[in-house]
Amino acid sequence: MELEPAEKARKLDIQELEEIRNDAYENARIYKDKTKLFHDKKIAQKHFSIGQKVLLSNSVLKLFPGKLRSRWQGPFIVTKVFTHDEFEIESEESRKRFMVNGQWLKSFNENFQAHAVEKIHLEPP
């Protein structure tokens, strides 16, 4: 007779523990969904067309930074556009083709003109 109340209390404890565990799983899923939405908002979608010239980020410079080195290589020509922001690019000099993620690319402006810098020679006083 004394075992029945203990059994009922134990079953209630197990059910309560399962509810707490299910709540924890649900909260974790909600947190992951919100984090993914926030992350996806920050990713900039890049749209390049076939034949467009692009610059490729030099990821080696992130490991060994150089003050005056350019972080961009190129120009490269986009030869194929795939789904999920993937592109096949071709080097203008070596004609090698390879696949890259669109996050490593930026558009190349061909009409950029560097201005001549005027040099001023100072005489000692």
Side-chain angles (χ1 to χ4, degrees), residues 26-114:
E26 183 67 20
N27 288 339
R29 188 186 60 77
I30 291 170
Y31 172 76
K32 287 178 185 178
D33 289 343
K34 285 183 179 179
T35 306
K36 183 178 181 342
L37 285 173
F38 178 76
H39 178 264
D40 290 346
K41 281 183 190 176
K42 295 293 179 184
I43 294 177
Q45 292 293 325
K46 305 213 177 167
H47 302 284
F48 300 111
S49 57
I50 295 175
Q52 183 177 358
K53 290 189 178 183
V54 294
L55 295 175
L56 177 65
S57 175
N58 188 353
S59 59
V60 176
L61 288 177
K62 291 184 180 178
L63 299 174
F64 306 104
K67 268 188 180 179
L68 301 176
R69 290 186 182 173
S70 174
R71 295 191 188 273
W72 299 97
Q73 296 175 340
F76 296 92
I77 299 172
V78 176
T79 55
K80 287 185 183 175
V81 178
F82 298 97
T83 58
H84 302 295
D85 208 21
E86 288 181 310
F87 301 93
E88 182 179 272
I89 59 174
E90 178 181 304
S91 173
E92 284 188 331
E93 294 123 17
S94 64
R95 296 292 181 205
K96 289 185 182 178
R97 291 183 177 199
F98 48 97
M99 298 268 300
V100 250
N101 189 318
Q103 298 299 315
W104 295 101
L105 299 176
K106 77 174 184 179
S107 60
F108 175 70
N109 297 326
E110 278 190 80
N111 297 331
F112 177 76
Q113 296 183 8

Side-chain angles (χ1 to χ4, degrees), residues 1-9:
M1 300 259 289
E2 293 177 6
L3 291 178
E4 270 188 40
E7 271 183 33
K8 287 182 182 178

